Structures are given as structure tokens and as C-alpha cells.
Amino acid sequence: MNKIKIAIQKSGRLNEDSLKLLKDCGISIDNGKDQLKAAASNFPMEVLYLRNGDIPQYLRDGVVDIAIIGENVLIEKGEDINIAERLGFSKCRVSIAVPKDVAYTSIQDLDGMRIATSYPNTVRNYFKKFNINPDIHLINGSVEIAPNIGLADAICDIVSSGSTLFKNNLKEVEKMLTSEAVLAVSPTISSENQQILNKLQFRIQAALKGRKSKYILMNAPNNKVASIIKLLPGMRSPTVLPLAEEGWSSIHTVVEKDSFWEVVDALKANGAEGLLVVPIEKMVL
């Protein structure tokens, strides 16, 4: 039986988030300590744990069929590789930072500066648009210390919360791009494994949709039902059921997490009572 090979970052937050997504898709991975390879017990899948920076080449060579990888790594090393699904977690940005005491007015200030980074292609392509030529110093590892030891005038690195920059007395001055985890596909994937990928994507989409939504139940007097329904952005239309108490109904619907509190405030203002909010595990459309 064919098995699809998926690459996942060897360790770190992206590794944890990737395995959680597979678990949410109902896929059980037989993990052992320090394994470099593991098989799924209930889905035709084999997991390879690889260094993040090596994954684009493994995809290109067909060693793995798919990968969960940071989009920033693809931009740096695999712009020719297709993205099948944006996954919405492990969000970050790739930015330029300089020491806090440096007066920064515009991007032109970076012309000729020594910039330490592990993303040389990204930096080069970004500054090319502005006709700026920084002096790029390639560093693999902790680039944030480079200005403090006199190795560089600025850095380019991924930024999540900004706490690492703060600790190293740096300030973010240019946001070059935003990134999130994506599902990337090898250009050499076989038709058989493409079919397995289609099944996996169906599960991923259901799991991600569930994460983004909440199920709401509420009671309302019948004369308020029509106005409440107009407020609801449900899947198609809400479910309305009569209550034992005459003149009242129960309304069930799905609401996006991002707009949840605004919708709830509007519902209450229009007569909804006894709202019950339930998390959604999966949402199959």
C-alpha cells in the first residue's frame, strides 16, 4: 500500500503544532524518543523529522511528498514549491531590526549597512525593489547578538512577540513579510499519493474550520427570532426549534471566532437570552 511521506520540523513549536494538527485530523503517529522517522497507525502516512532549512530540497528532490513548513523558509529556499494549504498557526514576520540607540528615518538608512541574517535571498530580493545594496553577513543561529558584538549594524530575522529583540536592545524598523505554517507539495508527487493528499486536505480543512468557529445556542421570544436571524452569519441558515414554553424558540448557529464577541453583543441587544457557547472539534462542509 502506498504511503505519503510528510516532512515535519525536527523540534520546536512548529513540530508541536504540526503533530497536533495531524492528531486533530484523526491520524495517530507512532512516535518514539529521538526518532527521525515514524509511521501512522491508521492512515497511509510516514513522518520524517527534518531540519527546517533542509525541507525545501527534500520536497524538490521527491524524498518527501509534502511538508508542514514555515512559509518564510519557502520564500527563502523554495519559491518554486507549491503551497496546497495555509494552516494559520506558527505566525511570525521577517523583519529588519537595528540597535535602539540608532536613529532610523527610512529604509534608505540601511543602504550599505552590514546586515546579519540567515535569510540572505529574502533580504537581497527585498532591498532590490528599493535599489538598496546592504552588506549581507550570513549567520546560521542566533543573529540577534551580531550588533552587540560588532559583527553587524542590523539584523534580519523572524519575529513573533518581539521579546528577543527587546532583550538584545534592538528595535524593529522594517517588516519585510509575514509568514505562517503551510502545507507544501513536492513537484514530483505521484498520482497515487496525490489521492492520499486530497483525503488529508479534506481532514485538515475540517479541523481548521472547527478551530475558527464556535457553536452557539440561545433562546429568544418568537417575535425577536426574525431580527436575530438577520444577525447570524451561519453555515447556511440557523436551526430554530420551539421551546416547551409557549412563545419562545431555541436558535442554534455557528459563528466565526474572530467576530464572536461582536455577534454576541448584537444578539443580546436584540433579545437573545441564555446563550450557550460550545467549541467545535471538526466542521465538515
Side-chain angles (χ1 to χ4, degrees):
M1 182 180 181
N2 269 34
K3 285 188 177 183
I4 195 166
K5 292 183 178 179
I6 181 171
I8 288 176
Q9 185 174 293
K10 198 172 181 181
S11 60
R13 179 68 184 273
L14 186 53
N15 167 277
E16 296 166 9
D17 288 343
S18 301
L19 291 175
K20 184 179 186 308
L21 177 61
L22 294 180
K23 184 178 180 181
D24 289 347
C25 291
I27 299 172
S28 299
I29 307 297
D30 297 327
N31 279 324
K33 189 178 180 182
D34 299 325
Q35 275 186 299
L36 297 179
K37 189 166 69 171
S41 59
N42 58 351
F43 192 82
M45 174 184 285
E46 191 172 68
V47 180
L48 278 71
Y49 299 101
L50 304 171
R51 285 180 65 252
N52 214 25
D54 294 339
I55 291 175
Q57 192 60 49
Y58 280 106
L59 284 165
R60 198 176 284 114
D61 293 343
V63 176
V64 294
D65 301 297
I66 55 175
I68 297 177
I69 187 173
E71 185 181 8
N72 57 296
V73 180
L74 284 188
I75 291 171
E76 175 65 25
K77 295 186 174 183
E79 283 194 308
D80 56 320
I81 295 169
N82 289 331
I83 293 173
E85 201 79 42
R86 308 186 76 83
L87 303 177
F89 56 81
S90 295
K91 292 186 177 182
C92 65
R93 55 194 181 273
V94 179
S95 297
I96 301 289
V98 299
K100 286 181 182 177
D101 59 2
V102 170
Y104 182 85
T105 56
S106 75
I107 194 169
Q108 297 299 326
D109 294 344
L110 298 169
D111 197 11
M113 269 197 180
R114 297 171 300 163
I115 299 180
T117 187
S118 52
Y119 299 94
N121 295 328
T122 303
V123 173
R124 200 172 289 113
N125 292 335
Y126 180 77
F127 283 106
K128 192 182 294 181
K129 297 182 292 185
F130 301 96
N131 198 28
I132 292 173
N133 296 299
D135 181 9
I136 298 172
H137 287 239
L138 178 61
I139 294 179
N140 292 313
S142 301
V143 300
E144 62 272 1
I145 65 169
N148 292 329
I149 61 176
L151 186 61
D153 305 305
I155 69 164
C156 169
D157 202 9
I158 57 171
V159 179
S160 295
S161 67
S163 61
T164 302
L165 295 182
F166 180 80
K167 289 174 185 175
N168 287 275
N169 204 35
L170 299 171
K171 62 182 179 182
E172 188 176 3
V173 294
E174 291 288 335
K175 183 173 75 172
M176 297 167 58
L177 59 93
T178 56
S179 174
E180 63 183 277
V182 296
L183 182 68
V185 184
S186 168
T188 66
I189 188 171
S190 67
S191 57
E192 293 86 355
N193 284 347
Q194 179 63 53
Q195 294 301 311
I196 299 173
L197 173 57
N198 293 342
K199 292 179 182 178
L200 176 62
Q201 276 191 262
F202 177 77
R203 295 191 186 194
I204 287 174
Q205 289 163 3
L208 294 180
K209 189 67 177 173
R211 289 181 184 182
K212 294 177 182 176
S213 307
K214 289 182 179 291
Y215 192 80
I216 299 182
L217 302 83
M218 72 202 83
N219 299 330
N222 288 345
N223 63 351
K224 298 285 187 179
V225 169
S227 61
I228 285 174
I229 287 175
K230 289 179 182 177
L231 300 170
L232 298 175
M235 294 170 68
R236 286 194 179 172
S237 63
T239 300
V240 181
L241 302 170
L243 292 179
E245 183 179 346
E246 190 173 342
W248 283 76
S249 294
S250 174
I251 304 170
H252 301 206
T253 193
V254 174
V255 174
E256 292 272 339
K257 271 186 180 180
D258 290 345
S259 59
F260 170 75
W261 286 111
E262 290 80 4
V263 172
V264 166
D265 288 341
L267 292 173
K268 286 178 64 64
N270 281 268
E273 298 180 10
L275 279 81
L276 178 65
V277 182
V278 182
I280 298 173
E281 184 176 317
K282 308 285 187 301
M283 200 159 142
V284 181
L285 302 178

